[in-house]
Amino acid sequence: MAKKRLHAARKSAKARRPTARPRSKAPDPLLAKLEGAERRDIGHVRLEVGRAGAARVKRMIYPAGFRWSVDMKPIVGTDLCMHAHVGFLAKGEVHVEYADGCVVEHRAPQIVAIEPGHDGWVVGKAPVVLIEFDFEGDTIRRLGMPDAHRHS
């Protein structure tokens, strides 16, 4: 009889326990405000820029649904993105398509080198975070990159 009462008491105590609250998700540090950087939003992209010697270090956050030819082309005025992108893809997935039809997929974590003359878009429902290094208008020469995508 005592065992039945003890079992009933345990069962009753479980029933009275408050349900566990779902833990709130910690903020993603890759998306957190970057102290000390110059911030701009352009074509739905958050761009934060800091200096490191002669170079710039940029964090670019592309939202889900971003496509260069839709979001940036009207602002920039060129048919394709004519910038070289060199850096570390820290989060997300990007589809890059060059004028010659060549397609490249980049998925984090990955080092990327994207030549000028491309369209690109975010794949999936998560934002893309690209940490990029450049020398403003001298990036291609200083990094020894081609000025356009070519097959060897």
Side-chain angles (χ1 to χ4, degrees):
M1 185 74 164
K3 281 187 180 180
K4 284 185 182 178
R5 274 188 256 145
L6 181 57
H7 179 68
R10 285 185 185 153
K11 197 173 183 181
S12 174
K14 283 183 183 177
R16 286 189 305 240
R17 279 191 210 146
T19 56
R21 292 183 196 172
R23 290 185 184 185
S24 62
K25 213 173 183 184
D28 186 341
L30 288 174
L31 302 174
K33 182 178 179 185
L34 189 57
E35 295 296 328
E38 174 191 325
R39 179 181 171 170
R40 288 184 285 157
D41 292 312
I42 180 166
H44 304 112
V45 176
R46 183 186 321 161
L47 170 64
E48 292 164 307
V49 181
R51 292 267 172 203
R56 293 190 307 179
V57 179
K58 302 186 298 189
R59 177 175 67 177
M60 304 186 67
I61 302 175
Y62 298 89
F66 173 86
R67 183 172 183 145
W68 191 90
S69 58
V70 172
D71 298 298
M72 296 298 286
K73 180 179 176 177
I75 297 167
V76 176
T78 59
D79 286 334
L80 298 169
C81 177
M82 299 311 293
H83 288 281
H85 304 277
V86 176
F88 177 70
L89 183 62
K91 182 181 184 88
E93 185 175 347
V94 177
H95 177 98
V96 177
E97 202 166 289
Y98 292 98
D100 65 0
C102 186
V103 172
V104 181
E105 299 278 343
H106 296 288
R107 182 178 297 146
Q110 185 176 1
I111 294 170
V112 299
I114 302 170
E115 294 106 352
H118 61 273
D119 189 10
W121 55 90
V122 171
V123 176
K125 296 180 180 181
V128 163
V129 178
L130 176 62
I131 310 301
E132 197 172 298
F133 305 92
D134 78 11
F135 295 92
E136 299 181 65
D138 204 20
T139 300
I140 294 167
R141 185 187 68 78
R142 300 268 309 257
L143 294 179
M145 294 182 72
D147 60 357
H149 177 74
R150 294 181 187 86
H151 293 277
S152 302

